[in-house]
Amino acid sequence: MDRKLLFTPGPLTTSDTVKQAMLVDLGSRDSAFLKTVCEIRHRLLQIAGVANAGYEAVLMQGSGTMGIESVISSVIPPEGSLLVLSNGAYGRRIAQIARRLRITTHLVEFPEDRPLPADCLRNAQPATHVAVVHCETSTGLLNPVKTIAADARRAGGSCIVDAMSSFGGVPLDLGDSGIDYLISSANKCVEGVPGFSFVIAQRDALLGTEGWARTTALDLLAQWKGLEADGQFRFTPPTHALLAFRQALIELEEEGGVPGRAARYKANHNTLIAGMRELGFIEYLRPEYQSHIITAFRYPQNPAFHFSTFYESLRDAGFVIYPGKVSSADCFRIGTIGRLFPSDFTALLDTVRNTLSELNSN
Ligand SMILES: *Cc1c(COP(=O)(O)O)cnc(C)c1O
């Protein structure tokens, strides 16, 4: 088998044991499967710090974007509105989803190279709902979501957080945060395989959304009701992905939970940054804004550098990196999440060094 290491923001490298957990076919009504779903939902609430605090975990088929679309299409009333505070491509995508659903949407854009200002909500147009991205994966910066959620609550609004690339890898306690909906997916920091997203929803907020869903398949409240009634999904569940995810959650706990995982990702990040700087690469973000999830590097000044050849040469050596997503600068990205360890980054850096010297000798 052709094994590659993925230095990407998902799908990402998973452990062998997570992959092995999928070697069984379970029926969607099988009691072992229902137990798995129940356990997953409970563990997700624990990770969010709200196992006994009025929150519900809802699993939704599809990629992370479908989880976001599920929330946006389900929880905003017909006469409601959405304020999106954005400093990157993933923030803009939320606004795009809302507009397509014909929801009144205010997109306020901030510079991509720094976190949202803590007071960004104070001068903005009022809306029934506010959406913000926790880790803006286009650059790797972290936004002050708790401050924004607290301000939203004070202003009487409901707060939606896209925590896709941070949940499980950056500590974030939802208890008393004012965050009503947090969205993440199976194939990011929990280190499962793709196939579904999940929403941690404040129970009373969720229960108040009856009749608002604009789609059938992504109806969040109906999905929750189905899971509550008999533990089942309304439509074919991603059984194998759920089995893998259960194993991934066990491995997250064994690693010391979110703090343990964050420590490994930080070690990965530190190894990467030190090595890349030594090779002359410059990060897009200032270090104080940079998270340990993913890092955007500027293209080197070297006229011999072409991202596609650089990418292919690393890929042929077994290392998959990621293109950039910053609108104002040419960058590529290297993720530090997934089943990767500092030694994997040392190996990647050796290959980057060789690739660069080949490039210069051609
Ligand atoms: C990965 C990601 C998404 C969406 O992911 P898909 O699974 O590709 O739909 C959304 N927001 C953020 C911040 C992400 O990192």
Side-chain angles (χ1 to χ4, degrees):
M1 259 282 260
D2 179 21
R3 288 184 71 116
K4 292 191 172 18
L5 293 178
L6 305 183
F7 296 79
T8 57
L12 37 66
T13 313
T14 56
S15 70
D16 288 342
T17 34
V18 162
K19 288 186 271 283
Q20 279 153 8
M22 292 187 283
L23 295 176
V24 41
D25 300 313
L26 279 182
S28 60
R29 288 155 194 266
D30 187 297
S31 63
F33 174 68
L34 298 184
K35 222 176 117 235
T36 299
V37 171
C38 182
E39 181 184 333
I40 287 172
R41 293 177 66 210
H42 183 67
R43 281 181 185 264
L44 287 175
L45 293 179
Q46 281 179 328
I47 293 172
V50 288
N52 306 301
Y55 279 78
E56 296 289 337
V58 190
L59 312 179
M60 183 60 76
Q61 296 95 327
S63 82
T65 307
M66 293 175 206
I68 295 175
E69 189 146 330
S70 169
V71 170
I72 301 296
S73 64
S74 300
V75 310
I76 301 174
E79 301 307 319
S81 52
L82 181 68
L83 168 67
V84 183
L85 302 165
S86 166
N87 51 353
Y90 293 92
R92 287 193 295 273
R93 187 186 290 175
I94 300 177
Q96 185 191 354
I97 289 170
R99 285 178 174 149
R100 178 62 64 91
L101 291 160
R102 309 203 189 292
I103 291 167
T104 304
T105 305
H106 315 293
L107 170 64
V108 186
E109 298 201 69
F110 291 87
E112 289 182 57
D113 63 353
R114 68 201 73 159
L116 293 171
D119 63 353
C120 59
L121 194 60
R122 305 226 173 105
N123 307 315
Q125 206 154 343
T128 59
H129 290 70
V130 177
V132 59
V133 177
H134 187 208
C135 175
E136 183 40 83
T137 319
S138 50
T139 55
L141 63 73
L142 287 174
N143 281 317
V145 288
K146 281 193 127 175
T147 309
I148 295 169
D151 280 353
R153 177 157 63 180
R154 233 170 277 128
S158 193
C159 186
I160 299 166
V161 174
D162 171 354
M164 208 70 68
S165 62
S166 58
F167 185 85
V170 177
L172 179 68
D173 195 328
L174 289 195
D176 207 32
S177 63
I179 297 172
D180 286 329
Y181 303 96
L182 176 142
I183 307 132
S184 185
S185 75
N187 58 272
K188 302 250 174 166
C189 295
V190 180
E191 301 184 356
V193 306
F196 65 96
S197 63
F198 50 87
V199 180
I200 315 283
Q202 206 277 329
R203 185 185 298 126
D204 294 335
L206 177 66
L207 289 176
T209 65
E210 186 75 53
W212 294 349
R214 293 161 180 82
T215 87
T216 301
L218 296 177
D219 183 334
L220 187 70
L221 182 61
Q223 185 86 343
W224 174 76
K225 284 182 180 171
L227 290 168
E228 286 294 297
D230 53 13
Q232 292 179 29
F233 284 64
R234 292 173 302 152
F235 312 115
T236 305
T239 44
H240 298 82
L242 287 157
L243 289 169
F245 194 66
R246 177 180 169 273
Q247 176 62 28
L249 285 166
I250 292 169
E251 292 174 16
L252 174 58
E253 182 175 302
E254 285 169 355
E255 193 170 7
V258 180
R261 181 141 301 176
R264 172 162 61 84
Y265 289 169
K266 269 183 202 152
N268 289 347
H269 177 72
N270 292 341
T271 308
L272 174 71
I273 293 295
M276 290 295 275
R277 283 184 184 165
E278 210 178 288
L279 293 170
F281 286 96
I282 297 167
E283 303 104 77
Y284 172 72
L285 287 182
R286 281 162 57 179
E288 63 266 37
Y289 299 150
Q290 179 65 59
S291 74
H292 53 263
I293 299 294
I294 190 166
T295 307
F297 294 95
R298 292 178 186 276
Y299 284 7
Q301 294 294 323
N302 189 342
F305 179 90
H306 297 288
F307 177 71
S308 54
T309 24
F310 181 65
Y311 171 90
E312 281 159 23
S313 132
L314 293 178
R315 180 208 54 206
D316 292 346
F319 303 97
V320 178
I321 63 167
Y322 217 58
K325 217 178 172 73
V326 178
S327 48
S328 58
D330 282 331
C331 294
F332 62 87
R333 290 177 288 170
I334 299 183
T336 29
I337 60 179
R339 207 71 194 155
L340 298 171
F341 297 85
S343 57
D344 296 315
F345 286 85
T346 310
L348 168 70
L349 289 160
D350 287 342
T351 311
V352 172
R353 186 176 301 111
N354 294 339
T355 306
L356 287 179
S357 51
E358 259 167 51
L359 215 127
N360 288 326
S361 65
N362 281 341

